[in-house]
Structures are given as structure tokens and as C-alpha cells.
């Protein structure tokens, strides 16, 4: 116990003698030394802001970026023979829904008809029933239709493109 007391007392005396633990009075404080630092200072240019005369929204500085079109390539068969005849030379199909059950795909198909679509059901090699609303020979036209559907019908924002293998 005596050793601990002696150690604490010695530590207290050493710490009281250190400059680190002593308070420096303002009168006795030495003048600050001038140190020349050769640090480089970089300036960042100010961001350019664009002010529109007629803003169309609160988010006038943000550009709307279209979500990329998901593309999948697979083999499939047509649910009805007349659909196959109409679309046999087309390679790009705009898919608006995908179901594991044929009954659900046909029910969804019936919901789309009053909205102005002419849907058909495709049976994929993966076992899914794809509800297609348009088919095209040209990929650019198909992509254009996907974007058009996404803009006109926000509820179908996940519309994608199926390429026939």
C-alpha cells in the first residue's frame, strides 16, 4: 500500500511540474511565433447555377433521367396461334407483366384492354407467362414504345424488352 501511495505522490509532483499541465497567464504568455508554412491552397470554382425565367417545377435544377430499359433474351411460344402468325417476323416484344400462372396473365391481359392496349400472352422457356403489349422489328422503335408507356402510365414503370432468341 505504501508503494502505491508513493507512486501516486511521485506522479502528482511530476505532472505539476510539466508545462503541459500548468495554466499560462495572459500576461506571462510568450508572443506567438510566426511560422511560415508553405502549404498550398486550392480553390474550388463555384458551381454555376442556372436560373430559368419560367421554372416548371420546384426541382428546376435536376434533369430527369430515364431509367434504363431492361432487356432479356429468351425463347418463348405464343399462347394463341393467331398471335404467332401476326408476330412471327418480329424480334422485340414490350413486356408489361410477367406471371407464373397462365390464369393470372390472362386476367391481367383483360385489365389492360380497357386502357387501350392490345396485349398478348407469351409462354417463356423459363416457365413464366409474359404479357406483351407491342412487338417490333426494330429495337429503337421498341425502346421508344417502352419509354412512352413509362411516361404515359407511371404504374407501368417497370416495362421492359424481351428479345426473341
Amino acid at each position: 500500500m505504501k508503494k502505491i501511495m508513493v507512486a501516486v505522490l511521485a506522479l502528482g509532483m511530476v505532472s505539476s511540474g510539466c508545462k503541459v499541465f500548468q495554466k499560462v497567464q495572459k500576461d506571462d504568455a510568450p508572443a506567438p511565433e510566426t511560422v511560415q508554412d508553405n502549404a498550398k491552397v486550392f480553390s474550388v470554382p463555384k458551381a454555376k447555377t442556372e436560373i430559368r425565367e419560367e421554372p416548371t417545377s420546384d426541382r428546376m435544377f435536376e434533369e430527369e433521367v430515364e431509367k434504363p430499359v431492361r432487356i432479356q433474351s429468351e425463347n418463348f411460344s405464343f399462347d394463341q396461334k393467331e398471335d404467332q402468325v401476326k408476330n412471327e417476323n418480329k424480334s422485340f416484344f414490350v413486356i408489361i407483366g410477367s406471371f407464373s400462372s397462365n390464369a393470372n396473365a390472362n386476367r391481367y391481359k383483360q385489365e389492360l384492354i380497357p386502357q387501350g392496349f392490345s396485349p398478348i400472352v407469351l409462354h417463356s422457356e423459363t416457365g413464366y407467362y409474359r404479357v406483351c403489349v407491342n412487338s417490333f422489328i426494330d429495337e429503337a422503335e421498341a425502346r421508344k414504345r417502352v419509354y412512352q408507356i413509362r411516361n404515359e402510365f407511371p404504374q407501368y414503370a417497370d416495362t421492359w424488352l424481351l428479345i426473341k432468341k
Side-chain angles (χ1 to χ4, degrees), residues 35-160:
V35 178
Q36 280 196 336
D37 190 10
N38 291 333
K40 295 182 180 178
V41 178
F42 296 96
S43 62
V44 179
K46 206 173 195 183
K48 293 181 181 178
T49 56
E50 173 188 347
I51 299 175
R52 298 181 188 173
E53 290 183 23
E54 295 179 28
T56 56
S57 72
D58 291 339
R59 300 179 302 147
M60 62 189 215
F61 298 115
E62 296 177 15
E63 288 185 33
E64 290 186 25
V65 178
E66 290 285 344
K67 180 178 144 187
V69 176
R70 180 181 145 223
I71 297 178
Q72 189 168 325
S73 180
E74 60 189 29
N75 287 320
F76 55 84
S77 59
F78 292 89
D79 206 29
Q80 296 182 1
K81 195 69 171 167
E82 63 267 7
D83 295 334
Q84 182 177 358
V85 173
K86 288 181 194 174
N87 298 297
E88 68 182 338
N89 64 337
K90 298 181 180 173
S91 300
F92 301 95
F93 296 82
V94 177
I95 305 298
I96 204 163
S98 190
F99 301 88
S100 58
S101 159
N102 190 17
N104 288 342
N106 282 312
R107 202 171 309 125
Y108 192 64
K109 173 183 169 181
Q110 295 306 317
E111 291 175 18
L112 293 172
I113 292 172
Q115 296 178 35
F117 293 106
S118 301
I120 61 173
V121 177
L122 310 172
H123 187 220
S124 167
E125 66 185 351
T126 60
Y128 286 99
Y129 295 89
R130 314 286 192 192
V131 180
C132 168
V133 291
N134 291 102
S135 58
F136 297 92
I137 296 171
D138 182 45
E139 183 179 357
E141 288 179 31
R143 285 177 178 272
K144 191 174 168 182
R145 179 63 176 149
V146 169
Y147 287 127
Q148 180 186 16
I149 290 171
R150 287 177 177 179
N151 288 330
E152 290 179 18
F153 302 93
Q155 67 269 30
Y156 304 128
D158 57 348
T159 302
W160 56 281

